[in-house]
Structures are given as structure tokens and as C-alpha cells.
Amino acid sequence: DFMLPSESHFADYVGRLGVSNDTHVVVYDGDDLGTFYAPRAWWMFRAFGHKEVSVLNGGFKNWVKEGHPVTAEVSQPAPAVFKARLNTALLKTFEEMMQNVGSLRFQVVDSRPEGRFRGTELDQGLESGHIPGAVNIPFRSFLTETGHEKSIEEIQQIFREKEIDLSKPLTATCRKGVTACHIALAAYLCGKRDVAIYDGSWSEWFHRAPPRYKVSELKRNKA
């Protein structure tokens, strides 16, 4: 679920929205948290080679709260031509993640809540746990109480506390590849623009990885 579409599918879809390769795109969502899905859309544009893309800090909730104009009119953009080219450096596959368990060529950060990372609570009905060697930084760690991104200094401190070196390769994962993009955005704000996303994330890992590659405290306690 939620994995990237093909280059042609993405190009056709955003082209119908009036987005060309020269368009500066601003993404936001209406989540009560402030920002939830927007970083995923931001990352998708970047993964398909689009450089001029931003996230509205605080999302629609804060846009309204701050008194900015809104409308109920349906936008009718003129179709545009968008050419997509997948940047595979921003994407990790199951096979690459499997290889990394042994080689540790890149750091892995998991953005899910601590209980799901540790395996002590179900992940939307799915048994939880994490990939061997992964570090847990719940995505909400990067957001203020109002739903805005924390300061660069605070974000850098969060990475330091988890012993994540932003000068070295980094891949983010979650359940379905959505909140992992918060990790990529946070690192981007600190100047690191090459964080990859494991698109299949735990949903794929749970169904494909050998049992010994699924770390869970719940299973250890039962044993």
C-alpha cells in the first residue's frame, strides 16, 4: 500500500493538476496534527526529479488559525506537461534493506511510535517489531505542540541523542512509507538532502523477511 506509482502514472497525474517541471509546488494536508501526509507528497515529487517543492509549515490547520484566506471554490488548472525521472538514490528496496542487515552500509531510522517499533503493541492489526539495527525516532518528535516543525537546532539535537550521523548515508522506514518521510524532511532542514525511504517499510518487511530479521520484544518475552 502507498508505494510509488510508475514514472508515467505520476507524470500524467500531476500534469493534470497543472504542474510542470518549472512549477514551484507547495504541499500541505488537513490533518489535525498539522502535518502528516505532506512530507510524503514532498518526497514523491523529489523522488521523481522535481526540485521546486516545499511543505507548508504547520499545515492547513495553522493556515486557518493564523487567519490566512481560504476558499471553497474548486480549482480548475490548465493541464501541463510533467516529465518524471525516478531518482533511485532516494529509494530503498527490500533487497537493499536485506543486504544492509549484514553490511550496515547505511543507518536506518524507524519513525513509528515506540510501542510499535519495540513490538509491544499491534501496528494497525499487524504484528509489530523492527528491522535489525534500526533506530527509533517517532515522527512526532520533530513537531511542536502546534504542529509546526521544530527548529533546526532542536532537530539536530534529536538526531545527536539517537547517535544518528547526518554526514553518513541514512534510510528512513515506518509502516507504509508515509511518516518515514518526516525523517527525510527533518534531515533535509539540517542540510542533508539524500535520505532514502524504504518504500515497502514494515508492511513489506513483515511479510517477506525471515523471522530472525524481525526484532520484537513481545516475541522475546513469550520465548
Side-chain angles (χ1 to χ4, degrees), residues 66-80:
E66 294 164 11
H68 301 300
V70 297
T71 180
E73 294 181 10
V74 178
S75 301
Q76 296 180 325

Side-chain angles (χ1 to χ4, degrees), residues 37-38 46 48-50 54 56 60 64 67-68 74 76 92 102 104 107 130 151 153 155 165 175 184 189 207 210-211:
Y37 291 103
R46 294 183 61 243
F48 283 115
H50 197 61
S54 306
L56 177 63
F60 186 70
V64 173
H68 301 300
V74 178
Q76 296 180 325
K92 292 297 182 188
L104 300 177
Q107 305 163 99
H130 62 269
S151 69
E153 291 75 18
I155 292 173
D165 188 344
R175 183 177 190 264
L189 294 173
H207 289 105

Side-chain angles (χ1 to χ4, degrees), residues 7-220:
E7 292 174 329
S8 60
H9 186 180
F10 185 84
D12 290 344
Y13 190 94
V14 300
R16 290 197 299 272
L17 297 179
V19 177
S20 73
N21 295 93
D22 297 323
T23 305
H24 186 166
V25 177
V26 179
V27 294
Y28 68 90
D29 56 65
D31 193 84
D32 289 339
L33 188 63
T35 300
F36 187 84
Y37 291 103
R40 171 69 185 194
W42 166 83
W43 173 77
M44 287 174 68
F45 271 103
R46 294 183 61 243
F48 283 115
H50 197 61
K51 294 181 173 59
E52 292 297 317
V53 55
S54 306
V55 174
L56 177 63
N57 194 12
F60 186 70
K61 178 184 79 168
N62 284 293
W63 177 268
V64 173
K65 185 178 179 181
E66 294 164 11
H68 301 300
V70 297
T71 180
E73 294 181 10
V74 178
S75 301
Q76 296 180 325
V81 175
F82 186 93
K83 295 181 180 179
R85 178 174 294 180
L86 181 63
N87 179 2
T88 56
L90 296 181
L91 184 69
K92 292 297 182 188
T93 63
F94 172 79
E95 291 74 18
E96 289 172 313
M97 298 300 291
M98 282 287 292
Q99 292 171 4
N100 191 65
V101 171
S103 66
L104 300 177
R105 292 180 57 194
F106 51 84
Q107 305 163 99
V108 178
V109 173
D110 191 315
S111 67
R112 290 174 299 155
E114 183 181 4
R116 295 180 181 181
F117 176 83
R118 292 169 53 190
T120 56
E121 63 179 58
L122 289 176
D123 193 347
Q124 298 181 36
L126 190 70
E127 287 184 33
S128 57
H130 62 269
I131 299 169
V135 173
N136 184 215
I137 306 180
F139 77 95
R140 290 186 181 219
S141 303
F142 299 109
L143 299 176
T144 66
E145 291 184 1
T146 61
H148 293 85
E149 292 291 324
K150 288 184 177 178
S151 69
I152 293 175
E153 291 75 18
E154 289 174 305
I155 292 173
Q156 289 173 330
Q157 181 62 25
I158 291 170
F159 282 121
R160 279 196 298 268
E161 289 176 353
K162 292 292 185 173
E163 298 183 351
I164 297 300
D165 188 344
L166 294 182
S167 69
K168 296 180 179 179
L170 174 61
T171 295
T173 182
C174 55
R175 183 177 190 264
K176 293 186 176 182
V178 176
T179 62
C181 298
H182 282 256
I183 305 292
L185 177 60
Y188 186 95
L189 294 173
C190 296
K192 184 173 182 60
R193 304 191 172 190
D194 59 353
V195 174
I197 300 297
Y198 171 30
D199 205 19
S201 284
W202 182 251
S203 293
E204 180 181 40
W205 191 261
F206 176 80
H207 289 105
R208 296 186 64 186
R212 69 182 186 279
Y213 282 2
K214 290 179 274 192
V215 182
S216 171
E217 290 185 17
L218 188 61
K219 289 183 178 179
R220 287 205 301 269

